[in-house]
Amino acid sequence: MNTTSDAPGWDAIDAAMAALYPGIAPVYQAYSPGLGLGSGLQGCSAYPVRGFWHYVSYGLTELWVKRADSNPDWSGWGYEFTMRVARPDVYAPPPQWPYTLLERLARVVHGKGLILGAGHRMDVGEPITGGTPPTTLTALAFAADPLLPTRRTEHGNVEFLQIVGITRADLAEMHDTSTAYVLAARAAAGDPLWITDPRI
């Protein structure tokens, strides 16, 4: 793949989302001071979809240039985060807490070299919303985004790793069985896209 773009990695993410939501403009948030100066992400977009917001991150893959010392088969860490968050009010802007959550998680990835992938889970130890709004969701599960397959880019492959908010009981069940088993049961029960709803 050849392009004259200054940000081919960024363009690849945009293209994947545009194919899924043609004609839909996202609500974008940039992070300060920026990826090169300590932020976990350069930015994050939230796409307004019927029933939910679909967030996607920018900054865990190589957005501008391919580093000489990086794996040639994968772009950066090899994935960007996605998250689907319930949208009960079609007139309200996207909630702020997912933007904050994805940025904090990306800082951990960059800072500690945390390797994440489908099937992993994480006990946050507090409401994933930061307490606003109140929620019983205190842990995260990770899965391949069901509608965004791995994409080949100029800088290597990019997976879209979906973050799913879960309760303490969900986390315990995943320990007893597996992350995939619990998420498959959730999909079979009527939530195939694993929408995170803090009202739970």
Side-chain angles (χ1 to χ4, degrees):
M1 178 185 298
N2 294 310
T3 179
T4 57
S5 170
D6 291 333
W10 192 304
D11 291 345
I13 299 168
D14 283 348
M17 299 305 291
L20 192 57
Y21 305 122
I24 296 180
V27 179
Y28 176 77
Q29 177 168 300
Y31 296 102
S32 180
L35 193 58
L37 296 174
S39 295
L41 297 170
Q42 187 67 23
C44 182
S45 286
Y47 286 77
V49 186
R50 184 177 181 180
F52 62 90
W53 291 94
H54 196 176
Y55 293 77
V56 63
S57 68
Y58 296 83
L60 291 166
T61 58
E62 293 157 312
L63 302 176
W64 298 285
V65 297
K66 181 71 176 173
R67 297 192 309 272
D69 61 346
S70 68
N71 187 328
D73 295 326
W74 294 92
S75 178
W77 292 96
Y79 58 82
E80 292 288 353
F81 292 137
T82 70
M83 190 174 195
R84 289 177 171 85
V85 176
R87 187 185 176 210
D89 183 352
V90 297
Y91 299 105
Q96 180 63 36
W97 66 263
Y99 287 116
T100 302
L101 176 66
L102 298 184
E103 158 69 0
R104 289 178 60 191
L105 190 56
R107 282 178 183 259
V108 174
V109 171
H110 287 301
K112 297 186 176 180
L114 183 65
I115 304 299
L116 294 172
H120 290 177
R121 50 198 179 247
M122 178 184 297
D123 187 353
V124 177
E126 62 182 17
I128 65 172
T129 60
T132 306
T135 185
T136 60
L137 301 175
T138 59
L140 304 171
F142 299 85
D145 190 299
L147 297 182
L148 289 170
T150 298
R151 192 174 187 91
R152 179 66 184 173
T153 77
E154 184 174 319
H155 295 157
N157 290 326
V158 174
E159 292 182 340
F160 293 92
L161 188 63
Q162 182 168 332
I163 298 171
V164 184
I166 57 173
T167 65
R168 191 174 300 277
D170 294 329
L171 183 62
E173 186 178 359
M174 287 177 179
H175 280 303
D176 291 339
T177 57
S178 70
T179 304
Y181 178 88
V182 175
L183 291 181
R186 181 164 164 174
D191 184 18
L193 297 180
W194 304 315
I195 298 169
T196 296
D197 191 340
R199 295 171 296 179
I200 294 175

